[in-house]
Amino acid sequence: MSKLTLVQAVNDGLRTKMQEDASVLVLGEDVGPKGGVFLATEGLTAEFGEERCFDTPLSEDGIIGVGIGMAMNGMRPVCEIQFQDFIFPAFDQIVSEAAKMRYRSGGQYSVPMVIRTPYGGGIRGGLYHSQSGEAYFAHTAGLKVVIPSNPHDAKGLLISAIEDPDPVLFMEPKALYRAFRQEVPEGKYSVPLGSAQTLREGDDAVVFCYGAMVPVCQEAAGRIAEQKGQEVRVVDLRTLLPLDEDAVLDAAKACGRVVVVHEAPRFCGYGAELSALIAEHAIEYMEAPIVRVTGFDTPFPNTLEHYYLPDARRVTDALERVLDF
Amino acid sequence: MTETLQIINPAGEKVGKAPRVKREVLLRMYRAMASVRHFDDRCMKLQRTGRIGFSIPNLGIEAVSVGAAATLDPECDWIAPSYRDFGMAFFHGISVEKMMDTQFGNGEDHNKGRQMPVHFTFLDPIRFLSISSPIGTHLPQAVGVAMAMQRKQEKGVCLVSFGDGGTSSLGFHSGLNFAGVYKAPVVFLCQNNQWAISCPLEKQTASESIAIKGEAYGIPGVRVDGNDVLAVYRAVRDAVKKAREGGGPTLIEAVTMRMGGHSTSDDPSRYVDQELMEEWKLKDPLKRFREYLFAEGLLDEAGVEALDQELSEQIQAAAKAAAAKPRPGLETIFSDVYETFPAHLQVQRDQCIQHFAGRDESVNEEGEFPL
């Protein structure tokens, strides 16, 4: 065990799989000797050579397209898109190619590829270094979408993603890259995809969250316990596609009061899917409206980013609203 | 302007140095080109009579596909085809039966009826990558396939084929750029057939040629007469050899003319000058190759007639058989999205099957492809 930050845990996960499996490769902009702009790939070129961890031209479409070809021909590429905001030139390759290859070829070809990308606000990055685009991808059959919220899960989920036979979009909450350290086991372990985790028990209300919103929701749950003496369950979804529907519905039914939190805009956001799922399958258990706390339906601001991002106070307000309904 | 390589002129006369190709391979090439023509003809009839929804005519470009494919080793090489490359599949022995199964989207279709006709995918006897309708996406993928070969220290090469329209796509730029940087064992084959649906080449690019576009990526460009199967063969063979030996990629521009519509739903007489068509008819690649084989004493009229008869009957029988095969099962809507079934897809699959099992009214299946 050693205490690692989230970005160090990502690095450890990559190194662990690269040591174990020679077909695992890392490619992307500045991932080589520099080790990536966030140092997620630090030391990998030195340890594994330029054939295994290499810099690419500044071309997201090329990175993903080449990754798809490598994956179809026996490699396990881990492509880095430097900021999730830059992923859109590769949208076609991800959505129309990687996600559909197994299906459209009748199972003859498949794309075991991981796309790692830092997402989200809180780093003074303005509207092109702060977006949360998970909903675009969670809408795509054939993809898996994973978002860890802590170092332990980041390493375990990344190892599962690399071992997965299908393309996985692995979105890393860059606001949490160095926010805290956590005990992370050395060597290989995995956290399964498609499995949510309850981080705080409680049955007065439940808050569903993922990524950088998890600590925000934990803080809000603590405030409610302190101020109102009520216990809020905190469920970290960890994988958005495929969603752990049982975990969501079980928690919603047990608590009867639901808040859904994400920093992405609200309209057609991931919270809409969660709300609809609960409304469709557990409406009779609901004691209050399902409330969403999200970013606004605007582009991401710079100077005022902390007024855009949901914080513990906004989540606490929403929890009070459902608890007092 | 880059020089255009020609070995057989439109009259079928040898005007350049012919590559050394075994007699049996030359005849296989001719057979593949003739197969395309018969297959096209049958598919047009099937589409006109409403038996299949769509097809892509290959008329006029058969020499490009076949000349290129004939240089590959199916043991180690891959093809990333365009949608107008039936000849590549035929040359490598993919049967007309399999091709017809995809045209009909029946239960034995390798794509399980999930793609439109023409979007063939095969693993055997050669890797024939899944065809995508969005243009140019397969270029960087082909480079990735080739870069994996480098890492596995295999001797394979990936041949990627696309049209003149494809040279405007994002994938053309990223594909050539990556291939140049990493010296990937890939051969870029541009089937310059002058048209991207109705858009003529001069509106596609202001470049003096497509071959010259390679230069900016550090990739040599070669221009060949695309209606001359031996010229295509020689250029691609040299490029494949170079790539196999670690010499990196080549961009080949095969100049030809699409003599049919973009697809079965397209009417090129609305935008292609008839005089131009008449001019290109004289350069027909199949006739030209036939004249050459006659002159070399490798084929005669009787042989051609027998082959035409055989192919016509075989393709007609394959179409009849494909039409009679059952459709894919309802569960194939849901399988192969992932390797394993996530819970939500199991639920949707079961609901779908149950819904239609319990219905006695028929499903309205009307729908016609407009392009």
Side-chain angles (χ1 to χ4, degrees):
Chain A
M1 285 280 197
S2 50
K3 282 206 148 197
L4 300 182
T5 62
L6 196 152
V7 72
Q8 287 170 334
V10 167
N11 184 273
D12 192 23
L14 290 170
R15 179 174 282 107
T16 302
K17 278 308 296 178
M18 289 176 87
Q19 283 169 347
E20 182 196 76
D21 181 353
S23 70
V24 178
L25 308 170
V26 171
L27 63 151
E29 295 155 13
D30 307 302
V31 301
K34 178 178 166 63
V37 294
F38 290 102
L39 301 181
T41 57
E42 189 178 24
L44 299 180
T45 300
E47 182 170 347
F48 300 102
E50 282 194 24
E51 287 284 290
R52 307 259 328 263
C53 178
F54 56 98
D55 287 328
T56 64
L58 207 165
S59 164
E60 287 76 17
D61 156 77
I63 293 166
I64 304 302
V66 161
I68 291 169
M70 289 180 139
M72 288 193 293
N73 194 9
M75 298 286 116
R76 294 258 168 183
V78 182
C79 304
E80 179 176 304
I81 298 295
Q82 199 162 75
F83 283 85
Q84 186 250 277
D85 312 66
F86 306 159
I87 206 168
F88 297 107
F91 198 71
D92 196 22
Q93 288 288 353
I94 297 170
V95 169
S96 287
E97 301 293 319
K100 292 174 176 55
M101 193 63 74
R102 183 187 291 284
Y103 192 76
R104 80 180 198 211
S105 71
Q108 295 177 88
Y109 293 91
S110 59
V111 183
M113 172 179 73
V114 176
I115 302 165
R116 288 183 42 250
T117 190
Y119 85 96
I123 62 145
R124 288 277 183 263
L127 70 172
Y128 297 123
H129 301 81
S130 305
Q131 293 175 71
S132 300
E134 64 272 17
Y136 296 114
F137 299 99
H139 193 60
T140 301
L143 282 186
K144 296 184 179 180
V145 181
V146 177
I147 305 186
S149 70
N150 59 63
H152 175 274
D153 285 358
K155 180 176 171 183
L157 287 167
L158 181 58
I159 287 171
S160 293
I162 295 171
E163 292 178 349
D164 199 88
D166 289 300
V168 179
L169 178 66
F170 193 84
M171 296 176 62
E172 298 166 4
K174 58 179 168 300
L176 302 185
Y177 265 162
R178 295 182 177 83
F180 58 94
R181 288 174 183 272
Q182 195 181 33
E183 293 286 351
V184 172
E186 277 165 32
K188 190 176 154 181
Y189 67 94
S190 57
V191 173
L193 306 188
S195 160
Q197 187 180 32
T198 302
L199 293 177
R200 184 185 173 107
E201 294 294 344
D203 51 18
D204 292 320
V206 56
V207 55
F208 295 109
C209 51
Y210 49 87
M213 288 294 106
V214 169
V216 170
C217 293
Q218 285 176 303
E219 189 189 336
R223 287 188 187 192
I224 292 288
E226 215 171 278
Q227 290 162 15
K228 296 173 74 80
Q230 288 179 297
E231 288 305 324
V232 174
R233 189 178 300 192
V234 178
V235 176
D236 177 1
L237 297 176
R238 304 198 290 193
T239 301
L240 304 195
L241 180 66
L243 171 65
D244 188 348
E245 289 188 9
D246 288 345
V248 171
L249 292 174
D250 289 349
K253 288 175 184 173
C255 299
R257 297 169 199 273
V258 174
V259 171
V260 178
V261 182
H262 54 67
E263 58 183 279
R266 172 171 309 200
F267 190 78
C268 287
Y270 196 75
E273 180 59 39
L274 292 173
S275 303
L277 178 77
I278 295 164
E280 196 170 341
H281 297 285
I283 192 80
E284 65 274 29
Y285 294 84
M286 291 298 104
E287 311 272 358
I290 302 162
V291 172
R292 285 176 287 168
V293 181
T294 67
F296 301 119
D297 290 327
T298 67
F300 195 95
N302 187 30
T303 305
L304 298 179
E305 71 170 331
H306 288 288
Y307 297 82
Y308 173 97
L309 288 167
D311 60 7
R313 187 161 163 194
R314 274 173 68 193
V315 177
T316 307
D317 286 352
L319 283 166
E320 281 177 354
R321 192 179 147 203
V322 300
L323 286 165
D324 297 344
F325 185 81
Chain B
M1 177 72 80
T2 322
E3 194 190 337
T4 304
L5 175 69
Q6 190 179 66
I7 291 166
I8 319 171
N9 72 10
E13 297 154 356
K14 196 156 70 174
V15 293
K17 188 175 180 297
R20 288 196 359 189
V21 187
K22 284 184 190 155
R23 178 179 178 273
E24 61 178 58
V25 177
L26 288 170
L27 293 177
R28 248 177 87 194
M29 288 164 73
Y30 184 80
R31 186 187 175 92
M33 288 172 68
S35 298
V36 177
R37 205 153 277 195
H38 283 279
F39 194 83
D40 261 358
D41 187 48
R42 179 54 47 190
C43 288
M44 181 63 88
K45 289 183 178 123
L46 291 167
Q47 194 271 344
R48 291 291 182 258
T49 54
R51 308 296 299 279
I52 63 174
F54 177 84
S55 194
I56 287 274
N58 292 243
L59 190 65
I61 62 86
E62 299 92 339
V64 183
S65 302
V66 172
T71 68
L72 300 180
D73 177 356
E75 290 293 315
C76 59
D77 297 335
W78 290 47
I79 296 173
S82 80
Y83 46 63
R84 212 181 302 277
D85 279 318
F86 297 15
M88 293 192 182
F90 283 127
F91 179 84
H92 283 285
I94 291 164
S95 68
V96 290
E97 288 78 12
K98 283 183 183 173
M99 302 276 283
M100 273 299 175
D101 286 341
T102 296
Q103 296 298 71
F104 280 84
N106 63 31
E108 288 181 33
D109 167 23
H110 279 47
N111 299 337
K112 303 186 184 170
R114 291 171 182 144
Q115 287 239 61
M116 287 174 73
V118 173
H119 295 65
F120 306 106
T121 316
F122 302 105
L123 273 173
D124 296 313
I126 191 165
R127 304 283 178 153
F128 190 91
L129 271 182
S130 171
I131 295 171
S132 184
S133 311
I135 294 299
T137 51
H138 61 313
L139 275 77
Q141 293 170 14
V143 177
V145 166
M147 287 172 69
M149 290 166 173
Q150 284 175 318
R151 279 158 181 77
K152 293 193 277 185
Q153 294 177 333
E154 291 172 352
K155 59 169 189 163
V157 169
C158 188
L159 171 71
V160 54
S161 169
F162 49 93
D164 40 303
T167 63
S168 297
S169 71
L170 181 57
F172 177 82
H173 167 64
S174 50
L176 268 76
N177 193 38
F178 273 67
V181 169
Y182 300 111
K183 282 200 179 319
V186 59
V187 175
F188 295 99
L189 175 67
C190 178
Q191 180 195 105
N192 175 6
N193 65 35
Q194 317 293 327
W195 300 93
I197 305 191
S198 67
C199 182
L201 182 66
E202 66 269 20
K203 288 188 183 164
Q204 199 64 248
T205 179
S207 180
E208 66 169 47
S209 76
I210 285 167
I212 200 173
K213 291 188 175 208
E215 208 172 292
Y217 300 100
I219 297 177
V222 176
R223 208 162 191 256
V224 297
D225 179 343
N227 287 23
D228 174 353
V229 72
L230 292 186
V232 174
Y233 179 93
R234 200 173 93 183
V236 179
R237 180 203 64 187
D238 291 350
V240 165
K241 183 168 182 283
K242 182 179 171 205
R244 222 187 275 301
E245 289 168 354
T250 305
L251 170 62
I252 296 167
E253 173 186 3
V255 183
T256 181
M257 174 72 173
R258 196 190 76 203
M259 299 299 284
H262 160 68
S263 74
T264 43
S265 323
D266 177 39
D267 174 10
S269 70
R270 291 167 62 100
Y271 55 84
V272 182
D273 185 37
Q274 195 52 41
E275 271 178 39
L276 185 67
M277 295 292 280
E278 294 302 326
E279 214 177 283
W280 276 92
K281 268 184 196 166
L282 302 173
K283 304 178 188 173
D284 180 70
L286 187 66
K287 182 170 170 293
R288 198 191 294 198
F289 190 34
R290 188 163 59 223
E291 296 296 335
Y292 172 82
L293 294 174
F294 285 173
E296 296 288 309
L298 298 173
L299 189 65
D300 57 21
E301 289 285 359
V304 170
E305 259 178 52
L307 180 65
D308 283 337
Q309 180 74 19
E310 180 200 335
L311 292 174
S312 172
E313 284 170 12
Q314 185 190 34
I315 289 167
Q316 207 166 341
K320 207 172 161 191
K325 288 176 190 172
R327 296 169 138 197
L330 266 186
E331 73 281 359
T332 61
I333 296 176
F334 303 94
S335 54
D336 298 324
V337 180
Y338 302 96
E339 188 185 69
T340 52
F341 267 94
H344 70 289
L345 287 187
Q346 289 177 35
V347 170
Q348 289 177 22
R349 174 194 60 191
D350 295 348
Q351 283 174 345
C352 174
I353 290 171
Q354 196 183 4
H355 174 75
F356 287 104
R359 256 167 80 135
D360 47 14
E361 61 181 313
S362 62
V363 176
N364 181 350
E365 297 198 25
E366 274 177 26
E368 204 170 293
F369 192 74
L371 274 181

